[in-house]
Amino acid sequence: MKPLSAANPMKRLPSSVRWLAIALLLGSASWGTSKALTSSTLTTSGNSLRRSSAFTANKQTSAATPEQVRVYAVSSTVLAVEVAAPTVIKGQQSTYVPQPGDTLVRDNGYTRVKRNSVVIGTLTEATNPSGERTFYPYDQVTQSALNLAAADLPRGYAISSAGDADYSQPTQPIDIFRKTKPVNMAEVTPTQRLWLAQSTLYLTLPKPIKPGETYQIRFSNLGLADTTYRYEPTKSLSEAVHVSQLGFRPDDPLKVGYLSTWMGNGGGLDYPEKLKFTLVDQHTQQPVFSSVATRVRSAAQTEDPRGRDYTLTEVHRLDFSAFNQPGEYRLCVAGIGCSLEFEMASSVWQKAFITATRGFYHQRSGIAITAPYSDFRRPRAFHPDDGVKVYQSGASLLDVDMGIGDRDTFKALTAEKTNDIVPNAWGGYFDAGDWDRRIQHLAVPRGLLELYNLFPDHFKTIQLNIPESTNDLPDVLDEALWSLDSFRRLQTADGGIRGGIESAEHPRYGETSWQESQTIMAYAPDVWSSYLYAGVAARAAFILKADDAALADTYQQSALLAMAYAEKHYPERTYTGELQHHVKDQRNLAALELYRLTQASKWHELFLATTVFQAADAEPFIYSRHEQRDAAFLYAGINGPLKLAGMPPLPIDARVQANARAALLRYADELVTLTNTTAFGWSKDHPESPVGWGNGLGAPRGINLLQAHALTQASKYLLAGISSAQFNAGANPDNLVLTTGMGDRSPQNPLIIDQRLTAQSPPPGITVYGPADLSLNQNYWGIEAIASSTFPPPTAWPTVETYFDIYLYPMSAEFTVDYMLLTAYTWGYLSAR
């Protein structure tokens, strides 16, 4: 096994991850003027990181109201007081209507609007059809009352109870611990950003509190209104109890929750062994299952071959796998409290898959996102019928740093721009904070087509409510073809595939996708993009044979043409380093896909000549050397789970097939071990992969586990696959589903410019990058920006709690569509198996 570098993975990340001048991109003069939320700066509101208060902008308050403070137990001797982050009134784009006395000021390359001597927003370069300018105002926030300095002192609190003799008199806690975490961002002036933080205060009590009793909590000089708390551990929510908010299928062989608490500067909280827990029916309020918790890790225990402790506290597993009755439940731990509600139903994974797959619809370019397909609204963007022109560039994606090369993408595209217009250049998927559509996005159709290949009868029944839902193709195939078809339109007459479409720079401040005012260019065709496309188009043609023979032929001819182009131009250069790895692997996979499609022996011979599985001990993936996991699964299953009904077996090399199968299963076995080692049962792309940017814990890493299950039907792979899906689904210390629109809590501030500028709720189905190991990125500007409003310092936080729901914190809140595919594939397989 070759160790993976903690730094090298950055090379392969999407463009907006490598923003070198993000401050300029988003219109601020300097990150150095960003401001933390210190005491008495802003007001607290809501009672969790995703709920808003009724306060309006600029409303003053002398104390946070009880509704803004939430109290819960994490043990019978520790109460948590959560003071939610301030409310942000987000700026919302509108047509600029000049007012008397308005002054337009040029600043840092942007036009600011000054009204009554105050800069209130920015005029963008975009205009509406009437030629009027677009105005983007700054955010507004409420003021803070929480006095953090006083909050850390026990004398600021007094707990009393009329029914508990131990607290008949106001009693101070023994100690106070705290964690303060920014969960939103407000841009309030051209040079000032506020990082809006939620604080959780842990009150260590001198004696246990008693179930059924009510306690008054008084705050002295904290800026918080006094509140009451009734201790009912069989009913009350406790953030210490974590469970999937998606729920479980009754026949899922693994059903688990977790118990853990990290108290910031108080460190991890230890719990007694074998605490009793119960599953409580949400409707009858009766316990339906009981067992005892199992401690799965102690504090300061490493969780992977990198020797990292990602949790910094002990974790107990709450296993109720033996229970299989449909219903709605919560998980309650004796003396502590209960989880959020979850469902047990046969449709759980199917509903989750539909939401995740509709996330791709919400990222579509070239059509309007509107009713009846979504509550999210976005006008049509980047379509030639609206006058959008895409110019041909001589720079290829293979050679630039948004692809697998070293050239600066924007400089290369612009320097080699021509005046030739590329016809029919539209469609595909946007990526997070950019409008690019690149060949890497074909991971989405590749994965969706594989799911359909494995379970055609199941996915024929799935309705996604997309514009193509009325045609004769299953919706899953329609969505798979959306991105693929955009690259078929980019194919040149000689078969070459352009690597995608890119603007001349990152989006201009204040402009939405449909207002793009920069030059738009298509990459030149290259062999890497052509091989990658040929493989996916061949897969589409193979699977479409049973549903649409004519369309299958269209894709077959397109795939063969792309392959011919790539083979013709492949010998023209020497491939070393990353180019060797990526180009040769895509050549290998494309040859195998074409062999399955055409049964032509020449493609089989090319596959055998380029596969690593000639060696019995070959690994399917070694970072920077080769990546042949998809080829391993396809060759291992070509006459098994991936064979179409009624088709005769294909001739194969039995030795190479056995090697490929064994390699993939060895790899999956390593991931099984990893899910049993990590405290919350998650997996990674590779046991030695860093939990870093673009490789965080937002998406489940279960595809290879589920492929192993498809090949063997061995229960250990299904168990590990389900385990790997729990963290993303809400079984994590934040009790947050890391895909928008799911569960009781999900991200509200993903890096989606169109959402932010229109002040809408996020579109459902977007899986964010999620928590990352901050020790790998200690010099990252985002960590520096939030440091003064984070306590303890960001790099002291456990990795599993480093999701910051901040629009302008790409390490957590960004995403790519190929990353989203990890979630859709996992949930889709679990719904169909």
Side-chain angles (χ1 to χ4, degrees):
M1 179 186 298
K2 182 180 178 181
L4 301 183
S5 164
N8 285 346
M10 299 298 131
K11 176 72 170 59
R12 298 175 57 191
L13 295 180
S15 65
S16 40
V17 171
R18 298 192 294 264
W19 289 354
L20 300 179
I22 195 167
L24 296 177
L25 159 66
L26 294 168
S28 175
S30 169
W31 280 110
T33 55
S34 297
K35 186 176 181 182
L37 279 187
T38 55
S39 59
S40 302
T41 305
L42 297 174
T43 194
T44 53
S45 62
N47 67 355
S48 75
L49 58 89
R50 86 283 183 200
R51 295 173 184 162
S52 62
S53 78
F55 284 169
T56 57
N58 301 321
K59 181 173 180 179
Q60 305 292 317
T61 180
S62 58
T65 66
E67 291 77 18
Q68 298 168 295
V69 176
R70 187 162 65 97
V71 180
Y72 56 87
V74 294
S75 79
S76 62
T77 56
V78 180
L79 285 180
V81 178
E82 182 187 281
V83 184
T87 300
V88 181
I89 311 298
K90 296 176 183 177
Q92 184 173 356
Q93 257 197 7
S94 62
T95 298
Y96 175 54
V97 180
Q99 301 295 313
D102 277 5
T103 303
L104 303 185
V105 181
R106 290 295 290 176
D107 170 38
N108 197 35
Y110 292 91
T111 301
R112 315 293 190 185
V113 178
K114 182 181 285 189
R115 182 172 295 166
N116 299 324
S117 300
V118 176
V119 177
I120 62 170
T122 298
L123 281 185
T124 72
E125 299 298 317
T127 59
N128 64 20
S130 301
E132 297 166 304
R133 297 281 292 276
T134 300
F135 173 65
Y136 182 47
Y138 297 110
D139 302 323
Q140 298 181 66
V141 293
T142 50
Q143 288 194 348
S144 179
L146 177 61
N147 184 338
L148 286 180
D152 292 337
L153 303 175
R155 65 173 178 264
Y157 307 83
I159 301 98
S160 61
S161 173
D164 184 347
D166 289 335
Y167 290 92
S168 59
Q169 297 298 316
T171 303
Q172 289 184 10
I174 297 173
D175 213 340
I176 305 295
F177 303 115
R178 173 168 63 89
K179 59 185 179 188
T180 296
K181 181 178 186 176
V183 295
N184 204 344
M185 178 213 78
E187 187 169 41
V188 294
T189 77
T191 60
Q192 186 179 28
R193 291 186 176 90
L194 302 178
W195 308 96
L196 314 183
Q198 169 182 289
S199 289
T200 305
L201 310 160
Y202 295 93
L203 283 57
T204 303
L205 306 179
K207 293 185 179 180
I209 53 177
K210 295 180 172 59
E213 297 300 335
T214 298
Y215 296 83
Q216 290 74 46
I217 305 175
R218 300 191 64 182
F219 304 103
S220 176
N221 299 320
L222 268 65
L224 306 179
D226 298 342
T227 190
T228 60
Y229 171 68
R230 184 171 176 81
Y231 179 46
E232 297 180 290
T234 60
K235 297 180 180 179
S236 301
L237 176 68
S238 173
E239 297 294 331
V241 186
H242 326 299
V243 72
S244 166
Q245 292 167 43
L246 306 185
F248 302 88
R249 254 173 56 166
D251 63 345
D252 280 345
L254 180 73
K255 307 180 189 78
V256 293
Y258 297 93
L259 172 70
S260 74
T261 301
W262 178 74
M263 300 185 295
N265 62 333
L269 180 61
D270 293 341
Y271 289 101
E273 291 271 17
K274 298 188 181 302
L275 278 172
K276 182 180 179 181
F277 72 89
T278 57
L279 203 60
V280 176
D281 187 295
Q282 194 68 356
H283 298 288
T284 66
Q285 301 300 311
Q286 296 300 309
V288 294
F289 177 86
S290 296
S291 187
V292 293
T294 303
R295 188 168 67 187
V296 294
R297 76 178 300 277
S298 303
Q301 181 177 328
T302 60
E303 299 185 59
D304 68 354
R306 297 182 68 83
R308 298 289 294 143
D309 175 2
Y310 298 106
T311 309
L312 301 184
T313 187
E314 66 176 36
V315 179
H316 296 246
R317 179 176 294 169
L318 315 171
D319 193 322
F320 53 101
S321 301
F323 186 80
N324 60 9
Q325 296 303 306
E328 295 177 338
Y329 305 99
R330 63 184 183 275
L331 203 54
C332 300
V333 180
I336 298 172
C338 302
S339 70
L340 292 163
E341 180 183 340
F342 63 92
E343 183 181 19
M344 195 174 294
S346 60
S347 61
V348 159
W349 293 115
Q350 180 172 312
K351 289 190 294 186
F353 168 76
I354 289 171
T355 297
T357 308
R358 282 177 49 73
F360 301 125
Y361 164 76
H362 287 117
Q363 288 301 106
R364 286 187 184 188
S365 173
I367 62 169
I369 306 301
T370 186
Y373 310 111
S374 180
D375 292 331
F376 188 77
R377 298 289 186 270
R378 193 195 71 209
R380 184 167 68 177
F382 287 86
H383 197 283
D385 289 350
D386 301 321
V388 174
K389 293 181 175 62
V390 177
Y391 296 93
Q392 181 66 64
S393 175
S396 73
L397 187 61
L398 180 148
D399 289 318
V400 301
D401 56 9
M402 302 299 191
I404 53 176
D406 296 317
R407 298 181 66 191
D408 180 276
T409 296
F410 299 129
K411 290 180 180 178
L413 279 171
T414 302
E416 299 189 36
K417 173 188 170 292
T418 71
N419 292 324
D420 297 334
I421 304 295
V422 180
N424 242 349
W426 65 276
Y429 297 125
F430 290 143
D431 250 352
D434 294 285
W435 318 132
D436 61 83
R437 286 139 285 158
R438 301 196 198 105
I439 201 71
Q440 296 97 313
H441 298 179
L442 292 190
V444 175
R446 177 173 281 159
L448 293 180
L449 289 166
E450 183 168 290
L451 284 175
Y452 189 86
N453 192 174
L454 289 168
F455 307 105
D457 292 339
H458 175 80
F459 287 107
K460 283 177 182 176
T461 68
I462 298 295
Q463 297 293 314
L464 296 177
N465 185 30
I466 55 179
E468 300 82 8
S469 291
T470 57
N471 69 16
D472 293 333
L473 278 182
D475 283 4
V476 171
L477 292 184
D478 281 318
E479 194 58 60
L481 296 179
W482 176 263
S483 182
L484 186 60
D485 209 40
S486 70
F487 286 94
R488 183 165 64 87
R489 289 193 294 271
L490 289 175
Q491 189 168 28
T492 61
D494 62 350
I497 299 297
R498 299 174 172 98
I501 301 170
E502 192 94 43
S503 295
E505 250 296 349
H506 293 298
R508 284 180 172 148
Y509 177 78
E511 287 186 0
T512 60
S513 59
W514 61 93
Q515 297 165 339
E516 175 65 281
S517 61
Q518 301 186 92
T519 302
I520 307 163
M521 290 162 282
Y523 291 101
D526 66 74
V527 295
W528 174 57
S529 299
S530 299
Y531 281 133
L532 203 160
Y533 170 85
V536 181
R539 177 173 290 196
F542 176 79
I543 291 168
L544 283 167
K545 285 182 177 181
D547 293 283
D548 191 326
L551 188 57
D553 184 66
T554 296
Y555 276 105
Q556 178 167 333
Q557 298 310 313
S558 181
L560 288 167
L561 196 60
M563 191 69 172
Y565 171 92
E567 286 293 275
K568 176 182 177 180
H569 294 282
Y570 177 75
E572 294 175 354
R573 63 190 297 172
T574 300
Y575 301 94
T576 59
E578 290 288 300
L579 296 187
Q580 180 183 35
H581 164 27
H582 292 289
V583 174
K584 290 191 173 183
D585 288 341
Q586 290 304 327
R587 186 183 187 218
N588 170 264
L589 183 55
L592 180 56
E593 293 280 12
L594 283 168
Y595 174 55
R596 181 172 67 150
L597 171 64
T598 67
Q599 303 182 32
S601 60
K602 68 175 183 177
W603 301 125
H604 191 211
E605 292 165 4
L606 178 57
F607 165 74
L608 293 174
T610 57
T611 183
V612 298
F613 302 117
Q614 294 288 353
D617 62 348
E619 294 188 37
F621 171 45
I622 299 178
Y623 181 77
S624 287
R625 284 177 52 186
H626 66 259
E627 160 62 293
Q628 295 193 7
R629 286 176 292 183
D630 284 332
F633 180 53
L634 178 54
Y635 204 59
I638 202 165
N639 290 325
L642 295 173
K643 186 175 78 71
L644 292 184
M647 289 189 66
L650 275 171
I652 51 92
D653 184 313
R655 180 183 61 82
V656 171
Q657 186 184 60
N659 289 346
R661 175 187 169 95
L664 190 63
L665 297 185
R666 284 197 307 271
Y667 189 81
D669 286 339
E670 293 183 35
L671 299 183
V672 169
T673 299
L674 185 64
T675 62
N676 291 324
T677 305
T678 54
F680 287 92
W682 43 264
S683 184
K684 294 192 293 182
D685 210 29
H686 187 287
E688 295 192 18
S689 295
V691 181
W693 200 341
N695 198 31
L697 298 178
R701 300 281 177 164
I703 289 181
N704 298 131
L705 291 164
L706 300 174
Q707 288 173 334
H709 180 257
L711 290 175
T712 66
Q713 296 301 301
S715 60
K716 64 179 178 178
Y717 299 124
L718 181 59
L719 282 165
I722 294 174
S723 177
S724 74
Q726 298 306 300
F727 191 95
N728 156 271
N732 57 62
D734 283 330
N735 296 311
L736 179 79
V737 183
L738 289 157
T739 300
T740 60
M742 300 297 297
D744 186 69
R745 303 176 186 172
S746 62
Q748 296 302 296
N749 302 295
L751 186 68
I752 303 177
I753 293 175
D754 288 343
Q755 175 208 343
R756 185 75 180 196
L757 268 58
T758 56
Q760 297 184 72
S761 295
I766 307 300
T767 297
V768 296
Y769 284 154
D773 186 349
L774 300 189
S775 70
L776 302 176
N777 302 278
Q778 296 192 39
N779 295 323
Y780 168 54
W781 64 262
I783 296 175
E784 296 174 358
I786 67 172
S788 58
S789 58
T790 308
F791 180 81
T795 53
W797 281 59
T799 294
V800 294
E801 295 195 40
T802 57
Y803 177 71
F804 299 96
D805 194 22
I806 301 171
Y807 164 74
L808 212 55
Y809 189 84
M811 186 186 293
S812 283
E814 198 181 13
F815 60 94
T816 60
V817 290
D818 39 320
Y819 188 83
M820 289 163 53
L821 185 274
L822 300 173
T823 303
Y825 187 105
T826 301
W827 293 353
Y829 189 99
L830 295 178
S831 77
R833 100 285 174 173

